[in-house]
Amino acid sequence: MTAPRLGFLTHAASGTDHRQIIDDTITLCVEAERLGYHSVWLAQHHFGAEGGVVPAPLVLLAAVAARTERIRLGTGVITLALEDPIRAAEDAALVDLISGGRLELGLGSGAHPPTFTAMSRDFSRRADDSSVNAGVLASVLSGDALPGGAVLTPPAPSLAQRLWRATTSRKAAAAAAHLGQGILLARSWPLEATPVGHFQHPIAAEYRQVADVNGHIPRIGVSRTILPTTDTAVLGHAAADARTWALGEGLPAELNTGDDSTVLARHSIIHGTGALITEALRADPTVQLATDLLVQFQPAHLSLSDSVAALGQIAEATAALPDGLS
């Protein structure tokens, strides 16, 4: 196993003071850079879905860019089925310029029906709409002329090689690999009793195979929730947060049954000492194929100080993986 690069993903969903959440999110990104993380990723949530308060991650990443120097800046992910792809390309190109070429552009189809309803979009068409918009966005970023001869300004031709697609299927992963795009795999899949790493392994393996055949360097971002603690109170709160999240997402009631340990396991929340975290990551077959490990705390809600401490503890735990993480 060659250890993946270490990234931090946040949904910016802890607390009720929106300004404080944004300030804390920027602080966590700065801390991640200080601790040697390779990347930070911001999730997009419209209208407070899942408690998130960042509908425009590119805007917030521009602020993060001004406070950092090295760390890669990712969107995890922009719901492309809801976007004008030309405007999205313009915003992304500007953030890439501001950050000195550090943007990693993660794209997805969306999974929150009320958002589509609010924007008068057809949720059932999200996959097709996302695919069409992704093609337009990639074309514009590559410098292809628009009707009338206009071209993207400022240009960002290399950004077309830094696109990532969120996926849950082998077919979509293969399509991304064929185009030379990366893939992003979610932190959990609670609808399946199979551990998430085993459920996702065929997807990651298919992607790698197609990427190799087409001569593309694979980019597989695997997200995992990690809580470096043995404190039963903290883990109890995390289990409660997972139950609340499942209820809010309309998932089957059985996902909320059982004791805290059962719920944490069903939501693939890795926890414990540094040694236990290292062991769990080593045993995850999808992490073994990953190029990037994107750690997050959601659905748990941690304070800023606890989040900073956890980032440091996770960095130490993952350093014990083969070759470390960088």
Side-chain angles (χ1 to χ4, degrees):
M1 172 185 175
T2 299
R5 297 174 295 242
L6 183 59
F8 169 59
L9 187 154
T10 177
H11 292 253
S14 296
T16 57
D17 183 331
H18 293 172
R19 175 58 187 269
Q20 191 63 55
I21 294 172
I22 297 302
D23 288 346
D24 288 353
T25 298
I26 294 173
T27 297
L28 285 173
C29 292
V30 172
E31 286 297 307
E33 178 172 80
R34 182 183 66 81
L35 290 165
Y37 280 65
H38 176 263
S39 61
V40 291
W41 299 72
L42 299 183
Q44 180 185 57
H45 294 291
H46 292 287
F47 313 117
E50 298 185 53
V53 300
V54 180
L58 288 170
V59 174
L60 187 50
L61 285 176
V64 174
R67 294 278 302 279
T68 56
E69 297 179 355
R70 173 196 57 80
I71 200 162
R72 308 297 297 178
L73 309 172
T75 58
V77 293
I78 291 175
T79 304
L80 202 55
L82 300 173
E83 302 283 341
D84 179 316
I86 298 173
R87 282 289 299 114
E90 289 184 315
D91 288 346
L94 188 56
V95 174
D96 198 47
L97 180 65
I98 290 169
S99 67
R102 289 187 280 147
L103 184 61
E104 303 289 334
L105 196 55
L107 309 170
S109 300
H112 192 246
T115 296
F116 282 73
T117 299
M119 293 188 174
S120 300
R121 303 294 178 88
D122 187 345
F123 185 73
S124 68
R125 286 185 47 83
R126 67 193 185 283
D128 290 340
D129 290 346
S130 180
S131 180
V132 170
N133 287 351
V136 173
L137 182 140
S139 174
V140 173
L141 289 176
S142 297
D144 294 342
L146 293 163
V151 294
L152 183 66
T153 306
S158 68
L159 188 52
Q161 282 74 59
R162 284 177 271 137
L163 300 181
W164 303 68
R165 298 300 303 272
T167 182
T168 58
S169 76
R170 294 174 60 175
K171 180 180 179 181
H178 182 76
L179 295 171
Q181 299 173 352
I183 59 170
L184 296 170
L185 300 176
R187 63 177 175 82
S188 69
W189 197 251
L191 293 176
E192 294 287 337
T194 305
V196 66
H198 293 274
F199 173 75
Q200 292 173 337
H201 183 264
I203 300 172
E206 177 87 2
Y207 171 87
R208 274 195 173 269
Q209 181 180 9
V210 176
D212 289 343
V213 168
N214 286 274
H216 296 307
I217 297 174
R219 290 177 291 130
I220 303 175
V222 175
S223 180
R224 293 292 181 262
T225 295
I226 302 179
L227 300 176
T229 182
T230 58
D231 188 308
T232 55
V234 173
L235 294 175
H237 286 305
D241 289 336
R243 292 185 178 99
T244 299
W245 177 83
L247 182 64
E249 291 300 294
L251 299 181
E254 56 264 30
L255 295 180
N256 283 341
T257 60
D259 59 17
D260 290 346
S261 178
T262 300
V263 171
L264 293 174
R266 191 61 184 263
H267 288 270
S268 306
I269 298 174
I270 301 169
H271 58 90
T273 63
L276 288 174
I277 291 168
T278 302
E279 180 182 347
L281 292 173
R282 282 176 171 160
D284 188 318
T286 303
V287 171
Q288 292 178 21
L289 295 179
T291 61
D292 295 80
L293 172 63
L294 313 181
V295 302
Q296 61 173 299
F297 307 133
Q298 284 76 20
H301 296 289
L302 302 183
S303 67
L304 176 60
S305 59
D306 287 345
S307 295
V308 172
L311 285 176
Q313 292 163 343
I314 291 170
E316 291 177 3
T318 53
L321 293 170
D323 300 332
L325 286 156
S326 59

